Amino acid sequence: MAKETKNTLRDSVYSALKAMIVTGQIPPGSRVTENDIAARLTVSRTPVREAFNRLERDGLVTGRPRQGYVVTEFDINMFREAFEIRELLDGHATELAAAAATEADKARLRAMLAECERLAAIPERTNREKFQELEVGIDLHRVIAEISGNVMLHGMLCGILDKCQHYVWTELLWLDEWKIARDEHAEIVDAICAGDASRAGTLARAHVRGSRDNVLRLLQAKSDYRNFLAKAS
Amino acid sequence: MAKETKNTLRDSVYSALKAMIVTGQIPPGSRVTENDIAARLTVSRTPVREAFNRLERDGLVTGRPRQGYVVTEFDINMFREAFEIRELLDGHATELAAAAATEADKARLRAMLAECERLAAIPERTNREKFQELEVGIDLHRVIAEISGNVMLHGMLCGILDKCQHYVWTELLWLDEWKIARDEHAEIVDAICAGDASRAGTLARAHVRGSRDNVLRLLQAKSDYRNFLAKAS
DNA sequence: ACACTCAAAATTGTATACAAAATAGCATGC
DNA sequence: GCATGCTATTTTGTATACAATTTTGAGTGT
């Protein structure tokens, strides 16, 4: 997970809070107070405040003046927007990666695929192992963006993935389209290794659209269910 | 310029600092100390620190622990990256805008074009009026992104434009391709008003590539000149 | 003249104290 | 019983004090 402990408290608090949010330990919609976090991490409020500022800029929490911070809740529309952008950025990054990947890069991607396969092959695996597979699958996209060589593109894509990761986890965990994603990842990596930028990009865009459809279908079902309950009462 | 004075000091400081950086009052590469800014704005260091945190997240300043903040300096490569992303995002946003624009939106765009024309027609205009024209030209892209309806896309594009705006200003001010940009803007707005998403997107992408070429050519010339001087000494 | 060391100054990082505002709870009136 | 208004508590916003670290510069020795 690349859990780097920086030398300043502010960075530690930022990393810790971000991890708690991304992994869903602090669920979306929950109110978070400075004193609370400061006490939990045994630091003063100052570094906590600065961490909140950065998280707000990341879009992971939203804060209104004098009303504190709330872990950002995504609605269906925000997901639609995020995936729309991801299709553009991820597609382009994958094209670039196909043109720029060194042998070491290709080996790295193949290793991540193998790790996914290994985790998928475990019989009667627990949620922990499912989470791990999802995480490696998401990291694959981060690494591809890194290989693209466009640092800004990499940063922006990571930002979007961070914002969605928790939802992707908790939602997709119950879906059974895992093998599809694995196959698509394998195809993308293949195209990159073959240096076929055009094919890699097309595959990546289709993959993002597929993920979007899965997530949106689930969220829509949830929403419909809530409406049904509301009408019934 | 949409100069909104928020109710908290932190936001005011953030806006003020951002404006100073974006307009080049604080030139790129210059070191900025907390005490300095705090004194200039007659506030304590606390809100200044928080503003810095956000600006760092925006990429407008870069800070290393215990070494303070420096206004981010863009090199040629960062511009290449930024324009590469802008081509994707701006192109897509323009496509969306062509499909989503209401009559009020179209009127707004046409008004901005007219304002550009008016500023361009002023005889013997000063730098101030040139700046204004550039600013409206950049704002046009922000507004198009807003009309697209994708809030996240709008936010990301504004972030990129903010980072580049100062450079675009100071560099392009000396170029004479203004009429080209005006004509391209007019064509884009025409396509949007006609509801021709495909054409609007294509035009927008070509326009971004054109801007990129202009900026990169200037920066390259500068860089070559510096190298020439270095070799001569 | 140059390099090196050590101390002093400046600057950031953190904690805490105080002020302002919002929320919550209670009491009062209808 | 419910709504309304006030107070009390909680929580954020800002300022300031202190600690830690980096930078600067003077001074000394070679």
Side-chain angles (χ1 to χ4, degrees):
Chain A
M1 188 163 350
K3 186 61 156 300
E4 21 196 329
T5 309
K6 295 286 181 61
N7 39 9
T8 70
L9 271 185
R10 164 183 52 190
D11 293 319
S12 305
V13 173
Y14 172 73
S15 300
L17 257 177
K18 184 170 175 178
M20 286 196 273
I21 292 171
V22 167
T23 61
Q25 285 177 50
I26 305 179
S30 51
R31 200 166 178 295
V32 189
T33 71
E34 296 176 359
N35 280 324
D36 201 25
I37 300 300
R40 275 172 74 173
L41 302 177
T42 55
V43 295
S44 82
R45 274 177 51 214
T46 309
V48 175
R49 286 181 67 76
E50 306 196 5
F52 270 127
N53 271 307
R54 290 157 76 147
L55 288 169
E56 185 181 25
R57 219 74 201 142
D58 290 342
L60 289 176
V61 302
T62 54
R64 290 210 307 276
R66 302 205 180 262
Q67 282 178 239
Y69 291 94
V70 173
V71 179
T72 306
E73 243 173 334
F74 270 44
D75 57 16
I76 293 182
N77 204 48
M78 291 170 83
F79 268 106
R80 214 186 304 273
E81 291 187 1
F83 274 104
E84 203 170 323
I85 297 171
R86 260 199 70 196
E87 185 179 340
L88 292 171
L89 299 187
D90 232 324
H92 189 64
T94 309
E95 281 180 9
L96 291 177
T102 65
E103 283 308 314
D105 293 331
K106 294 174 184 174
R108 193 171 165 204
L109 293 176
R110 288 203 202 89
M112 296 181 81
L113 277 186
E115 176 68 3
C116 276
E117 291 289 341
R118 190 185 69 77
L119 288 164
I122 294 174
E124 298 187 21
R125 57 184 181 165
T126 62
N127 274 348
R128 175 177 173 70
E129 278 127 7
K130 287 188 179 181
F131 278 137
Q132 284 181 343
E133 187 191 339
L134 277 172
E135 193 171 336
V136 176
I138 296 176
D139 268 341
L140 186 78
H141 290 282
R142 292 198 181 91
V143 171
I144 289 174
E146 192 184 344
I147 293 174
S148 80
N150 188 320
V151 179
M152 197 179 289
L153 182 58
H154 176 234
M156 293 176 89
L157 257 171
C158 285
I160 297 180
L161 290 174
D162 281 344
K163 277 190 269 198
C164 299
Q165 180 155 337
H166 161 61
Y167 289 91
V168 174
W169 278 17
T170 54
E171 301 300 335
L172 285 189
L173 193 61
W174 317 113
L175 229 58
D176 273 330
E177 267 99 4
W178 291 55
K179 186 159 185 350
I180 297 177
R182 260 198 312 276
D183 291 344
E184 288 176 348
H185 283 166
E187 279 188 300
I188 292 169
V189 171
D190 270 350
I192 291 175
C193 290
D196 190 340
S198 165
R199 186 161 67 95
T202 305
L203 288 170
R205 279 180 274 267
H207 172 63
V208 171
R209 278 195 299 270
S211 306
R212 178 199 60 189
D213 290 341
N214 282 335
V215 173
L216 289 186
R217 196 165 56 235
L218 262 173
L219 289 173
Q220 188 65 52
K222 266 188 159 179
S223 170
D224 289 346
Y225 181 58
R226 273 196 298 271
N227 284 342
F228 170 75
L229 287 182
K231 253 188 292 184
S233 69
Chain B
M1 173 129 38
K3 188 61 158 296
E4 20 196 331
T5 309
K6 295 287 182 59
N7 39 11
T8 70
L9 272 185
R10 163 182 52 192
D11 292 319
S12 305
V13 174
Y14 172 74
S15 300
L17 256 177
K18 184 170 175 178
M20 288 195 271
I21 292 171
V22 166
T23 62
Q25 284 177 50
I26 305 179
S30 50
R31 200 164 178 292
V32 189
T33 71
E34 295 176 0
N35 280 324
D36 200 25
I37 301 299
R40 277 172 72 172
L41 302 177
T42 57
V43 296
S44 81
R45 276 177 50 213
T46 309
V48 176
R49 287 181 66 75
E50 305 195 6
F52 270 128
N53 271 307
R54 290 156 78 147
L55 288 169
E56 186 181 24
R57 219 74 201 141
D58 289 342
L60 289 176
V61 301
T62 54
R64 290 212 305 277
R66 299 199 182 268
Q67 281 177 240
Y69 290 93
V70 174
V71 179
T72 306
E73 245 174 331
F74 269 44
D75 56 17
I76 292 183
N77 203 48
M78 290 169 84
F79 268 104
R80 214 187 304 272
E81 290 187 3
F83 275 103
E84 202 170 322
I85 296 171
R86 261 199 70 197
E87 186 179 340
L88 291 171
L89 300 187
D90 232 323
H92 189 63
T94 308
E95 282 180 8
L96 291 177
T102 66
E103 283 309 314
D105 292 332
K106 294 173 185 175
R108 193 171 164 206
L109 292 177
R110 288 202 202 91
M112 296 181 81
L113 278 186
E115 175 69 3
C116 275
E117 292 289 342
R118 188 186 70 77
L119 288 165
I122 294 174
E124 299 186 21
R125 57 183 182 165
T126 62
N127 274 345
R128 176 176 171 72
E129 280 126 6
K130 288 189 180 181
F131 279 136
Q132 284 181 344
E133 187 192 338
L134 278 171
E135 192 171 336
V136 176
I138 296 177
D139 267 341
L140 186 78
H141 290 282
R142 292 199 181 90
V143 171
I144 290 174
E146 192 184 343
I147 294 174
S148 80
N150 187 321
V151 179
M152 198 178 289
L153 183 58
H154 177 234
M156 293 175 89
L157 257 172
C158 285
I160 296 180
L161 290 175
D162 282 344
K163 275 190 270 196
C164 299
Q165 179 156 337
H166 161 60
Y167 289 92
V168 174
W169 278 16
T170 54
E171 300 301 334
L172 285 190
L173 193 60
W174 317 112
L175 230 58
D176 273 329
E177 266 99 3
W178 290 57
K179 182 155 187 356
I180 297 177
R182 260 197 313 275
D183 291 344
E184 287 176 350
H185 282 166
E187 280 189 301
I188 292 169
V189 171
D190 270 351
I192 291 175
C193 291
D196 190 341
S198 167
R199 186 162 66 96
T202 305
L203 287 170
R205 278 180 275 267
H207 172 64
V208 172
R209 277 194 300 271
S211 306
R212 177 201 60 189
D213 290 341
N214 282 335
V215 173
L216 290 185
R217 197 166 54 235
L218 262 173
L219 289 174
Q220 188 66 52
K222 266 189 160 179
S223 170
D224 288 347
Y225 181 58
R226 273 196 297 273
N227 284 341
F228 170 74
L229 287 182
K231 251 187 290 182
S233 70

